[in-house]
Amino acid sequence: MARDSERKLIALDIDGTLVTYDEVLSDEAREAVAAVRAAGHHVVLASGRSLIAMTPVAAELKIEDEWIVASNGAVTARIDVSAPMGYTLERVETFDPEPVLRMLQVELPHARYAVEDVGVGFRMNELFPEGELNGEHRVVDFEELWSGDVTRVVVRSPGETSAEFHEIAARLGFDDVTYAVGWSAWMDIAPQGVTKASALERVRKELGVAIEDTVAVGDGSNDIDMLRWAGHGVAMGHAAEAVQAAADAVTGSIEDDGLVEVLRSLL
C-alpha cells in the first residue's frame, strides 16, 4: 500500500481508453485498475459521458468511494453506493445555451441537438441513434432547449466532418464556451474554461496529490487539456496526432489494451 505522500491520482478516459468502442471492458483492464487501487492510488474516471452513463462503468470496476468527472468536466461527483443515485454531486458548471444554439441552428439547421439534464438524461430536438446518449430522452421544441442553463450541448451532424466542425466553431467565434469535437460528426459544448483538466485540478487539490503525481490516459480531442495538465500524460496508440503530441508518452491502442501497460507500470 502506497503511503499518502506516494499516492497518485490516475485519471482515465473511458471510451477508447478503458473500454472499446463496442463497450467491452477487458479482464486485463479490470484487473489492472483493481491492482492500482489496491496499491492505494486514486483512480478517477474522467469522461465526456454523462454521469448516469459513467456510474455503471464504476460499478463494473468495483469503484465505490472515489471522485468522478463527467460531461467533460462540467459535472464532478463522488461515487457513493449508499446514496439514492449511487453518487453525490460536488460541483455542477452551467451556462446559457441560447446564443450558441441560435448560431448553430442557422449554420446547421439539419443537425440534431441535445442538452443535458444532470442525473436524468437529455432534452433534444429529435431522437439520437439508440445507444449514443444515456438516460431519459425527451423530444422538445427547439426553443425549449435553452429554457434554462445547462451543463452541456451536444451537436450531432453526420453531414459534417470533424475538420468542418472546427471550421464552423472558429467562424462563429465560440468565445464564451468551450467545445470539443469527437471522432466524427459530434461536438460537445461546455461552459467557458470547463474541461476535464479544470475539474481534475480541483479533485487533485481535494485529495492533496502533488501535480507531479498525477497520471492521465486518453485518446480523444477532449483529452488534450487533461494530458497536458497531468504530471504524466499518456495518449492511446490509436489517438490522433494532435492528441499524441499533447502527451508525454504514447502507449498501445485500445485493441492492444494499451491502458494495461500504463497501469502496470505504476505498480
Side-chain angles (χ1 to χ4, degrees):
M1 175 72 71
R3 296 191 298 269
D4 288 347
S5 61
E6 297 174 337
R7 289 185 177 178
K8 295 184 182 296
L9 188 167
I10 305 167
L12 302 181
D13 171 51
I14 293 180
D15 298 289
T17 300
L18 182 62
V19 304
T20 69
Y21 296 109
D22 295 325
E23 299 278 336
V24 176
L25 172 65
S26 72
D27 290 339
E28 290 79 7
R30 184 185 294 105
E31 291 165 4
V33 169
V36 294
R37 294 190 70 240
H41 302 303
H42 301 283
V43 172
V44 179
L45 302 181
S47 175
R49 290 189 182 200
S50 63
L51 191 54
I52 56 177
M54 293 180 69
T55 50
V57 180
E60 191 168 355
L61 293 168
K62 298 188 180 345
I63 297 176
E64 301 180 345
D65 56 352
E66 191 58 88
W67 292 81
I68 191 168
V69 170
S71 303
N72 286 323
V75 178
T76 305
R78 292 198 209 200
I79 298 296
D80 180 356
V81 293
S82 66
M85 296 294 290
Y87 60 80
T88 57
L89 285 173
E90 296 293 331
R91 188 180 182 94
V92 177
E93 306 264 15
T94 63
F95 70 109
D96 177 7
E98 182 176 355
V100 70
L101 280 171
R102 284 188 180 277
M103 288 190 291
L104 285 169
Q105 185 184 29
V106 173
E107 189 74 27
L108 297 170
H110 54 280
R112 300 181 188 187
Y113 297 90
V115 296
E116 182 179 8
D117 293 323
V118 177
V120 178
F122 292 84
R123 284 172 284 136
M124 53 193 67
N125 67 325
E126 61 178 291
L127 290 174
F128 277 47
E130 186 175 354
E132 289 192 351
L133 295 174
N134 292 76
E136 176 185 311
H137 297 171
R138 188 158 62 93
V139 177
V140 299
D141 292 336
F142 194 87
E143 291 74 15
E144 192 175 333
L145 295 177
W146 61 63
S147 60
D149 287 357
V150 299
T151 55
R152 176 169 54 147
V153 171
V154 179
V155 187
R156 190 186 192 281
S157 183
E160 275 67 39
T161 64
S162 294
E164 287 169 332
F165 260 160
H166 282 294
E167 179 185 336
I168 290 168
R171 185 167 67 250
L172 295 179
F174 284 179
D175 297 328
D176 297 328
V177 296
T178 299
Y179 73 92
V181 176
W183 282 103
S184 55
W186 185 284
M187 179 189 292
D188 279 319
I189 302 171
Q192 185 178 34
V194 172
T195 65
K196 293 183 184 183
S198 65
L200 286 165
E201 175 61 11
R202 284 190 293 272
V203 172
R204 180 190 72 80
K205 290 177 178 177
E206 287 285 343
L207 292 173
V209 175
I211 189 65
E212 59 267 25
D213 290 327
T214 57
V215 178
V217 191
D219 74 313
S221 62
N222 61 338
D223 294 315
I224 288 176
D225 287 331
M226 177 177 77
L227 296 176
R228 289 173 175 161
W229 160 83
H232 185 62
V234 183
M236 297 294 288
H238 62 275
E241 183 177 340
V243 179
Q244 295 191 18
D248 300 297
V250 178
T251 187
S253 69
I254 183 65
E255 290 81 9
D256 299 325
D257 246 343
L259 173 63
V260 174
E261 176 186 341
V262 179
L263 296 179
R264 287 175 177 168
S265 73
L266 300 175
L267 295 173

